[in-house]
Amino acid sequence: MPSRMLHDSALNDLRKGFTGEILTPDDPAYEETRPVFNAMIDRFPAVITLPRNEAEVARAIEYGRLEGLQIAVRGGGHSVAGNSISDGLVVDLRHLNSVTVDPGARTVRVGGGATIADLDRATQPYALATTGGRVSTTGVGGFVLGGGSGWLERAFGLACDNLLAVELVTAHGDLVRATGHNNSELFWALHGGGGNFGVATSLTLRLHPLPALTTALLMWPPDAGPEVARAYRDFIDAAPDQVGGGLIYLMGGEEPFVPEDLVGKLACVALITYTGQEAQARDVMAPMLGLGHTGELLAQMPYAQVQSMLDDPPGYRNYWSAEHLDTFPDEAVDLFCARADDMVMPSPSQHVLFPQGGAVGRDADLYPLPWRSAAWTVHPFGLWSDPADDARAKEWARDLRNDMKPWASGAVYLNFIGQEGRDRVVAGFGPENYRRLAAVKAEYDPDNVFRLNHNIHPAA
C-alpha cells in the first residue's frame, strides 16, 4: 500500500469520534493555529491535533507513533527553542484549559493547556495564589514542570515546590497519576524534567493566602544604573522573603508614570513586589524609594494584573539565555550595566537581573534543580523584529553570559534558555540528577518519543 494511502487511512481513523479539531495544511484554521510565540520558529506540521480529553491525547500520540511523526506538545507555545511545534504532529492542549479552585483545601487543579492568566484569574477571587510565570500568556504546564520561577518565588517557593499531583499521558497512551506517594520517582522527575516523560493533562497546585500584593515600578535614566544596581543588590540582601521582583533595563512605554524623556528610550527599572499592604511595603522599600527615581508606579494591585505588566505581544523574534550567580560584586554590577546599551541590545529586549534566595534556596537538593541555590539570575531576554538583527541579538546574550562567568554557579534554569547544547541540559539538572532522570525516562518513554524538549536521553 502506498505510504500516502496509509497516511490517509490512519488520519481518517483518528478523526472518527475525535471531538477536538484535527488540522492539516489545507484546513482554514491551520494558519491561525500554527504560530508560536517566538517568530524565529516557522514550522509547518503535517497534522495539528487539538484534543478535548485525555483519551484524545492518547489517540493523537498513537497516531503520531504509527506514522513515524516527530511529536511536539503545545501548552502555551512559549518555548523559546520552538519545542511547541514540529514539522510532524502537534498535540495542542489549548482546549484542556479548565481551572478548578478548592478554596477550603487551598488547592487548584489546572488543565495542561491553561495559561498563567487562566490560573491567576481563577484564584484571585479567593485571595489565593501560587507562584506563576512573569508573562501571563505562558502555559502553566511547561512552566511548572520546568521548575517555575516567578515574582512570588521568594515568598511561596518555585511553582514546582507547590506541585501536589500530575496526571500524565505516557508515550504508550497510559494515563498515570504522580504524587509524592504514588509514582513518586516520576513525581520527583516532574520537578524540573519538563515534558520528557509524557503529556501533562492536569496539574494540582498548592495555593497560598494573598490578601494584598503591593508592586512598585521605579524608573531611572540608564546612566544611573550602576548606582541603582548596587543599591538594589544591598536592598535584596537585607529584604524579607515577602519581597520579590527584578532589576530590568527596558524601553519606556507610553504610560502616565513614565517620564517623557524615557518614553521609547532605554530605562533602568526596579520592579519590587511585596506580599502585603502598601503601608508596610513602603517601609520595606524605603532604601529604594530614596534613590531619586524619575518615574514611579507604586500601588496595591491584583496579582493577575502584575503578572501581565511585562507581557510582550507575539510576533517578535526571541533569543533568551541565563547565568546564575553565587555572588554579585561591584565588578559584576559594572559589567552587567555596561551591556545595557541600546546600541548593542536589540529593541525591545529586556536586560534582567532576578534575585533568588528566600524560599527558592530552601531544600535546594530536594529536586533536580541545582540552579536554585544561586543568589542571583542574569537573564538576557532578546526581542526584536528584523531578521538582520539575529546575529547581534545572540551575540549580546552570549557576551553577557561570558561577562558573568567568574561568578556563575554553572547550573541553569532550562525554561530560560533555548537550544544551547547537551552540556547545558546536563547543567540544568546536575550530573547525578541527570542519571536518575534518565532512568525515569527509560521507564516511561524508552523510545524517546517526547524528545522535542531539553531532552533527557533514556538510560540504556
Side-chain angles (χ1 to χ4, degrees), residues 352-396:
V352 187
L353 174 74
F354 289 130
Q356 294 197 161
V360 178
R362 298 191 197 113
D363 299 320
D365 297 328
L366 188 59
Y367 299 121
L369 301 169
W371 50 269
R372 67 185 298 166
S373 61
W376 299 93
T377 302
V378 171
H379 183 31
F381 189 94
L383 296 163
W384 68 99
S385 56
D386 187 350
D389 283 335
D390 287 2
R392 178 163 69 99
K394 293 177 181 180
E395 184 178 10
W396 163 70

Side-chain angles (χ1 to χ4, degrees), residues 42-64:
D42 192 27
R43 297 179 186 143
F44 295 84
V47 184
I48 302 173
T49 62
L50 292 96
R52 293 185 181 274
N53 54 54
E54 291 89 346
E56 291 182 353
V57 171
R59 288 185 60 195
I61 294 168
E62 181 185 26
Y63 168 78

Side-chain angles (χ1 to χ4, degrees), residues 64-235:
R65 298 195 68 174
L66 177 67
E67 293 296 292
L69 300 174
Q70 186 181 52
I71 297 174
V73 181
R74 175 178 174 142
H78 265 257
S79 164
V80 69
N83 292 330
S84 307
I85 189 168
S86 76
D87 291 321
L89 172 77
V90 176
V91 182
D92 189 323
L93 302 178
R94 69 184 72 190
H95 290 323
L96 297 173
N97 64 346
S98 63
V99 181
T100 305
V101 180
D102 184 337
R106 292 182 181 169
T107 62
V108 59
R109 187 174 184 269
V110 187
T115 66
I116 296 296
D118 296 327
L119 169 61
D120 295 337
R121 290 170 186 161
T123 60
Q124 191 164 278
Y126 303 99
L128 296 170
T130 196
T131 302
R134 300 176 178 93
V135 176
S136 69
T137 53
T138 301
V140 174
F143 168 73
V144 174
L145 299 182
S149 170
W151 301 126
L152 300 183
E153 64 188 12
R154 282 170 49 86
F156 298 155
L158 299 173
C160 72
D161 293 335
N162 297 289
L163 184 62
L164 300 175
V166 181
E167 292 180 350
L168 194 81
V169 178
T170 71
H172 295 292
D174 299 321
L175 181 61
V176 175
R177 180 175 172 84
T179 69
H181 304 288
N182 187 45
N183 297 306
S184 57
E185 189 70 357
L186 173 62
F187 187 64
W188 171 85
L190 293 171
H191 288 70
N196 270 284
F197 312 101
V199 180
T201 54
S202 78
L203 305 93
T204 302
L205 300 167
R206 180 186 301 107
L207 298 173
H208 302 264
L210 187 66
L213 178 67
T214 303
T215 303
L217 268 174
L218 309 177
M219 304 184 71
W220 292 264
D223 58 4
E227 177 189 357
V228 173
R230 285 177 171 79
Y232 180 77
R233 174 197 62 195
D234 297 342
F235 163 69

Side-chain angles (χ1 to χ4, degrees), residues 1 6 15-16 21 32 118 137 150 159 167 169 177 209 224 281 287-288 296 334 340-341 346 362 377 391 399 439 456:
M1 180 182 292
L6 174 63
R15 290 186 189 277
K16 293 175 183 176
E21 295 87 356
E32 66 186 53
D118 296 327
T137 53
E167 292 180 350
V169 178
R177 180 175 172 84
M288 295 302 298
E296 176 184 312
D334 291 339
D341 182 341
R362 298 191 197 113
T377 302
D399 285 346
I456 299 165

Side-chain angles (χ1 to χ4, degrees), residues 30 51 71 116 148 257 259 310 400 403 411-412:
Y30 176 88
I71 297 174
I116 296 296
F257 60 88
L310 296 182
L400 178 59
D403 286 346
V412 62

